[in-house]
Amino acid sequence: MQKVFTQDQVLLNLDAANAEDVFRAVADRAQDLGIASADGAYQGLLEREREVATGLMDGYAIPHTKCSAVGRAAMFYVRTAAPLAWQTMDDKPVQHLFVLMAPDANGGEEHLKLLSALATCLLEDEFKNAVATAATADDVVSLVLEHIEKECE
């Protein structure tokens, strides 16, 4: 089984002006990694965001899609170079995004477990601060996987 979250799925200091820029960068990386077709994943993320905004609080959002363009479940972390306007619970901009992708067929359960675990982690200030200040992709992956595994036990 391939890992859901690796260093290749971390984009630090992404130069993005809006959600579309983030979704395009993630979709392109997903295609490069053989996870999804870029255009399909991009459209899936856009459509889901239009249905219900994925912004949380304290500069975080969890955009996600479950669509046929995705071949396997995956998670990406994006830290933008500058905060982005985003519909959030606290009306503050977003700079930290966990982007989840799952295939239409039988990716739903893993997708929901990951989404739930991540949402729980993002209630902890210590976790959010550690992710926000992680220096490298390796640091982000280690930190996130450690916390998510605890939530999924």
Side-chain angles (χ1 to χ4, degrees):
M1 181 177 138
Q2 292 181 312
K3 291 186 178 183
V4 173
F5 188 48
T6 67
Q7 291 81 355
D8 291 335
Q9 290 157 239
V10 175
L11 291 82
L12 298 177
N13 300 315
L14 180 72
D15 188 17
N18 51 40
E20 290 83 2
D21 288 351
V22 171
F23 295 163
R24 176 52 64 197
V26 170
D28 288 348
R29 178 69 59 92
Q31 180 167 301
D32 292 346
L33 296 173
I35 294 167
S37 100
D39 289 340
Y42 174 77
Q43 288 302 321
L45 288 164
L46 275 180
E47 287 169 19
R48 178 64 180 84
E49 194 67 32
R50 285 185 193 126
E51 287 173 20
V52 178
T54 58
L56 302 175
M57 294 176 31
D58 302 320
Y60 281 84
I62 309 178
H64 50 280
T65 186
K66 184 178 171 204
C67 65
S68 60
V70 178
R72 64 177 171 89
M75 176 171 66
F76 292 79
Y77 169 72
V78 178
R79 182 185 304 149
T80 58
L84 305 176
W86 207 280
Q87 189 176 339
T88 60
M89 294 177 194
D90 61 2
D91 295 321
K92 293 184 179 166
V94 164
Q95 194 166 7
H96 308 279
L97 302 102
F98 285 98
V99 183
L100 306 180
M101 296 180 180
D104 248 347
N106 56 13
E109 188 177 318
E110 187 174 7
H111 177 73
L112 288 175
K113 279 172 63 174
L114 196 55
L115 187 59
S116 174
L118 197 51
T120 301
C121 289
L122 288 172
L123 294 173
E124 302 170 23
D125 288 339
E126 185 180 322
F127 175 78
K128 290 184 288 194
N129 292 336
V131 170
T133 58
T136 68
D138 285 341
D139 293 343
V140 172
V141 171
S142 297
L143 177 76
V144 170
L145 291 179
E146 176 187 325
H147 280 78
I148 285 178
E149 284 171 12
K150 285 179 191 171
E151 290 302 323
C152 289
E153 286 177 350

